Amino acid sequence: AIRMTQSPSSFSASTGDRVTITCRASQDISSYLAWYQQKPGEAPNLLIYAASTLQSGVPSRFSGGGSGTDFTLTISCLQSEDFATYYCQQYYDYHPTFGPGTTVDIQ
Amino acid sequence: EVKLEAAGGNLIQPGGSLRLSCVGSGFTFSSYNMNWVRQAPGKGPEWVSYISGSGGTIYYADSVEGRFTIFRDNAINSLFLQMDSLRDEDTAVYFCARQRGGSSSSFDYWGQGTLVTVSS
């Protein structure tokens, strides 16, 4: 199985900050990478797919980059509603796997 | 509006069985591949099973292979997960999730989740 890691596991930030989360795959997954946002008690919400394509309705302050094994999710100007946990997911093969998550909380 | 509504979660003893269901609306259900994803308390999501739009192709995670069965009834826009020989480690919120495109694609819509608790 393809293993996904994320860093950092959590951090504190302030509204207006630019933040970047990193995701690494244990093998080359090309651009078969998605990012999800999850808030407590809710289902994950798709933000980005194909490593860098913004899902319809997602604010443009979210952006994704990378290919192969190393990927990033950047929030250009953190808003109050962005404090949540973020997961990367590879869907390169028929057994998709998720990263352990990165929690962004209020400083 | 696309909606997925999962149901069927309950408290069940180890070794027991449970069937989850998920009803889709607002889209052509039979045209989309569907999945079950679970999330144990305090953990990240874990993919459980996949079924193609026609039901002809199915995959399972190693952790549930041989114990869980995924199936669908496109006539009633429904997805199911039959869970047998349940274990403590199957305790989780179970989500149904639609795939955005082909078999290698992300999950664009998720149900609200249904809680399965396996405990004696």
Side-chain angles (χ1 to χ4, degrees):
Chain A
I2 298 173
R3 184 167 169 264
M4 307 300 292
T5 57
Q6 289 182 234
S7 61
S9 58
S10 66
F11 65 97
S12 298
S14 301
T15 303
D17 285 352
R18 178 183 180 90
V19 302
T20 297
I21 298 167
T22 298
C23 174
R24 177 165 288 176
S26 60
Q27 68 180 69
D28 188 341
I29 59 169
S30 185
S31 295
Y32 292 93
L33 192 284
W35 289 97
Y36 299 85
Q37 177 193 68
Q38 188 178 33
K39 297 179 180 178
E42 298 182 2
N45 179 50
L46 178 65
L47 299 175
I48 286 169
Y49 61 93
S52 61
T53 302
L54 204 64
Q55 171 70 350
S56 175
V58 174
S60 59
R61 63 181 180 271
F62 291 92
S63 63
S67 67
T69 60
D70 295 306
F71 303 87
T72 57
L73 172 70
T74 297
I75 310 173
S76 61
C77 184
L78 204 62
Q79 301 298 301
S80 57
E81 60 267 32
D82 301 335
F83 292 99
T85 299
Y86 294 86
Y87 296 98
C88 61
Q89 177 215 18
Q90 68 78 17
Y91 48 93
Y92 179 79
D93 64 12
Y94 297 128
H95 288 66
T97 47
F98 293 82
T102 296
T103 299
V104 182
D105 58 30
I106 301 173
Q107 190 162 43
Chain B
E1 180 191 5
V2 172
K3 282 190 177 179
L4 294 169
E5 294 200 40
N10 212 332
L11 171 63
I12 188 80
Q13 291 190 337
S17 297
L18 202 59
R19 178 176 293 184
L20 306 182
S21 63
C22 172
V23 179
S25 60
F27 64 103
T28 304
F29 188 77
S30 60
S31 296
Y32 287 85
N33 306 322
M34 297 293 296
N35 295 264
W36 287 99
V37 178
R38 67 185 181 184
Q39 189 168 27
K43 302 292 186 182
E46 177 192 15
W47 170 79
V48 172
S49 186
Y50 159 97
I51 186 168
S52 61
S54 67
T57 301
I58 287 171
Y59 301 111
Y60 297 100
D62 291 346
S63 57
V64 307
E65 178 89 53
R67 300 188 299 120
F68 289 11
T69 303
I70 189 171
F71 60 101
R72 64 192 296 163
D73 186 341
N74 288 337
I76 57 172
N77 295 341
S78 294
L79 172 73
F80 301 93
L81 186 68
Q82 175 67 38
M83 303 187 295
D84 299 320
S85 303
L86 282 161
R87 305 168 179 167
D88 291 351
E89 56 265 34
D90 294 320
T91 293
V93 174
Y94 285 72
F95 299 98
C96 52
R98 189 185 86 165
Q99 272 188 268
R100 198 183 55 80
S103 56
S104 286
S105 59
S106 52
F107 302 165
D108 61 351
Y109 285 93
W110 298 59
Q112 84 286 6
T114 186
L115 177 62
V116 174
T117 302
V118 184
S119 175
S120 53

